[in-house]
Amino acid sequence: MVTSTPPTGPQPPRRRRWPLIAAVVALIVVTPGGAEWLVRHSATSLILDNVECVTGDTADIALGSKSMLWQYITGTIDEIGIRTAGNRVRAARQLRIEATFTSVSTATPQTARQVEATLTWPTAGITATIEENLGSLGSRISVSTDSSAGQFTVKIDTPLGDIPIKATPKITNGKVGVEITNIPASIPIPGLSASTIQAALDSVADRLTGEYPLGLQADSVEVLADGARAHLRSSGPVTIASTGSACYQNS
């Protein structure tokens, strides 16, 4: 009977499979996580660049908890929320915007099914903005509000006493403005009348707003205890794209 003798000498090391399996599992887990981060980072950077271009202010973005990678693959981001810091919007001091973009397409160019925005403007910001935009007269003006009456009081300081002017917010052709509703019969400043003050306020409003971006139009405005708030809404789908100084295209 012949018996086999086990081979002597060095044996090849047995391959350990666990490290390889662990590496494969880590790759499967980490890669989607990295892609998710990349998509969120890219979307946030693009949106922030455009918002800051439009407003001249910094902003925060809310993309929600749903996977951005999956939404990007399907071609539609359900909702994007934006909140500016409240330092300014163009020339309007201390104006804050909170906006929501709904059903944002990731195709080129990007579109949103609808955009809504709430603008909140404290009286201190309104006063500061008027001062900057009405020259020497602006430095004599202060603004306060009466929320129960839904009115602003625009007070002009003169050597002969204060001139209180009542005004209410208005919406004309989808844009927010103010309309003088009461003014003293006698104003101790030569050349100053209700019509000249109204024209000055209209000029400031036009200079501040210009054309609202994204096809937004105001549908409501209210006077608060210490400021005003307006709601704007797009009339339909809008294109979101960087267009130089315009930043956003109107639909």
Side-chain angles (χ1 to χ4, degrees), residues 9 59 91 95 108 112 127 148 164 178 196 207 209 231 251:
L95 180 60
T108 303
T127 299
S148 60
V178 291
T196 57
R207 194 178 308 147
T209 59
H231 183 266
S251 146

Side-chain angles (χ1 to χ4, degrees), residues 1-193:
M1 180 176 179
V2 179
T3 58
S4 61
T5 303
T8 59
Q11 299 293 316
R14 180 174 295 176
R15 293 180 178 177
R16 300 180 64 185
R17 302 177 64 186
W18 281 112
L20 179 60
I21 294 173
V24 172
V25 171
L27 184 63
I28 293 173
V29 172
V30 171
T31 300
E36 173 72 16
W37 178 88
L38 181 61
V39 171
R40 282 183 174 266
H41 177 74
S42 298
T44 299
S45 297
L46 175 63
I47 296 166
L48 283 177
D49 285 347
N50 281 317
V51 170
E52 291 172 8
C53 178
V54 169
T55 65
D57 197 3
T58 57
D60 292 323
I61 304 296
L63 298 176
S65 59
K66 185 180 290 188
S67 168
M68 281 292 294
L69 177 59
W70 176 249
Q71 292 182 85
Y72 190 85
I73 291 172
T74 60
T76 303
I77 300 173
D78 291 348
E79 187 174 286
I80 298 172
I82 297 170
R83 179 184 173 90
T84 64
N87 297 310
R88 65 184 302 152
V89 175
R90 298 176 181 171
R93 296 291 183 180
Q94 300 182 35
L95 180 60
R96 182 189 301 277
I97 296 179
E98 295 179 71
T100 302
F101 294 70
T102 305
S103 297
V104 179
S105 169
T106 59
T108 303
Q110 287 79 26
T111 61
R113 179 171 56 83
Q114 188 175 70
V115 181
E116 291 188 66
T118 299
L119 280 60
T120 305
W121 204 5
T123 51
I126 298 172
T127 299
T129 304
I130 289 176
E131 288 179 359
E132 290 184 358
N133 286 272
L134 285 184
S136 59
L137 178 60
S139 63
R140 296 182 171 187
I141 292 177
S142 62
V143 179
S144 60
T145 59
D146 182 348
S147 57
S148 60
Q151 287 186 328
F152 297 101
T153 298
V154 181
K155 185 175 68 175
I156 304 176
D157 180 24
T158 77
L160 300 179
D162 294 339
I163 303 173
I165 300 168
K166 302 294 183 181
T168 58
K170 64 176 182 177
I171 296 175
T172 304
N173 297 324
K175 298 174 70 173
V176 177
V178 291
E179 181 178 9
I180 293 176
T181 53
N182 185 275
I183 190 169
S186 177
I187 301 178
I189 300 179
L192 194 62
S193 64

